[in-house]
Amino acid sequence: MIRRPPRSTQSRSSAASDVYKRQSWFNKILPSLGKQHKEEKKSPVPQGLWQTCSNCKEILYGPDLEANMYVCPNCGHHIRIGARHRISYLIDHDEYSEISSDLKTKDWLSFTDTKKYKERLSDAKTNIDENEALISVYGKLNEKDVVLSVFEFRFLGGSMGSVVGQKFVDAVEFAIEKKCPFICVATSGGARMQESLFSLFQMSRTTAALNKLKNQKLPFISVLTDPIYGGVAASLAMLGDINIAEPKAQVGFAGPRVIEDTVRVKLPEGFQRSEFLLKHGMIDLIIERPDMKEKISGLITKLHHIG
């Protein structure tokens, strides 16, 4: 908030006074949408109290948006959320035990591009307070025992390195041990380039683990969320007994521009959106986030009965 000049200097600071008078009430109550000033840090209005939908640009009241699981009530856009949020929406009472949480990533190749891989890992851990791009937990979904793995896109784009692959395999093996369904919520940019072949190996490892789960006749439900690309989309994400996607999720192997430059053909608009994939048989269902838990619960009941 810009302060009014002292009375003794007001006559010499008429321009500053005019700025103060013209200051928008909108910027006063919504500091996150206006220019940030040091004084605004003391504002009683919490940061993020109001948010803007990235799709329709509607200004939304934060608590109402959170109550609607970060789905815009104006246009239905599913705003990207973190892995812990997703876990809390699916696991009863947000009570669970974490699987292989102590695994740590190793810089196998001493990789450096514009920045050292170790530094990128350290920054990611600091920024979001997570150890890796995958969180696996064991808990209950509508009183049904489940193992749930959720990708965290904010951690290096949800990329799959050796630890992500190991945590996924450990989660599948834990589901086999507990004889319960396995659910994966995937969002990723693909394989982690800083680990080269160590990352690509995870495509076959995760696929082999899911084949073991299938042999035990235990359900695997894959949930595709925006965005999901590369080696994750080309392996574990599309191998579910039931493949579900959120509305308008971007799903593909490579980006549209890369594909168009390669095949030199104009591609249909929205060809990598979940609605297009559903129409062409690539996924089984599109489910809105607020309905996800109940729908998955029903699918688990049916799949376990068939098994």
Side-chain angles (χ1 to χ4, degrees), residues 175-191:
I176 293 173
E177 178 186 336
K178 295 295 183 179
K179 293 181 170 52
C180 68
F182 177 61
I183 304 163
C184 178
V185 182
T187 174
S188 174

Side-chain angles (χ1 to χ4, degrees), residues 56-67:
C56 68
K57 309 307 179 185
E58 183 79 6
I59 298 172
L60 306 169
Y61 184 52
D64 289 345
L65 186 60
E66 185 171 5

Side-chain angles (χ1 to χ4, degrees), residues 87 90-91 96-100 134-141 144-150 167-185 210 213 218-223 296 300 304:
I87 292 170
L90 293 174
I91 297 297
Y96 53 81
S97 56
E98 198 162 334
I99 302 167
S100 302
L134 185 76
I135 302 171
S136 296
V137 303
Y138 173 61
K140 291 185 181 293
L141 187 153
K144 302 176 181 69
D145 289 344
V146 297
V147 171
L148 171 66
S149 288
V150 183
K167 291 182 76 170
F168 185 91
V169 170
D170 288 350
V172 172
E173 291 179 348
F174 196 88
I176 293 173
E177 178 186 336
K178 295 295 183 179
K179 293 181 170 52
C180 68
F182 177 61
I183 304 163
C184 178
V185 182
L210 289 173
L213 188 77
L218 294 170
F220 169 42
I221 296 176
S222 179
V223 182
I296 290 178
I300 288 173
H304 243 172

Side-chain angles (χ1 to χ4, degrees), residues 109-121:
L109 306 174
S110 300
F111 192 95
T112 302
D113 44 83
T114 57
K115 198 173 186 178
K116 290 183 179 179
Y117 181 35
K118 287 183 179 179
E119 293 179 10
R120 292 190 184 278
L121 288 170

Side-chain angles (χ1 to χ4, degrees), residues 9-65:
T9 60
Q10 190 169 359
S11 59
R12 292 175 295 171
S13 308
S14 58
S17 180
D18 289 343
V19 169
Y20 176 83
K21 291 176 181 178
R22 293 196 303 267
Q23 185 183 17
S24 171
W25 65 269
F26 195 68
N27 286 338
K28 288 182 182 178
I29 67 168
L30 300 180
S32 62
L33 300 179
K35 185 177 180 180
Q36 295 292 311
H37 298 283
K38 291 182 180 179
E39 291 85 349
E40 286 174 342
K41 293 181 180 179
K42 300 178 182 178
S43 170
V45 181
Q47 296 295 317
L49 180 61
W50 299 86
Q51 298 186 32
T52 304
C53 174
S54 58
N55 182 57
C56 68
K57 309 307 179 185
E58 183 79 6
I59 298 172
L60 306 169
Y61 184 52
D64 289 345
L65 186 60

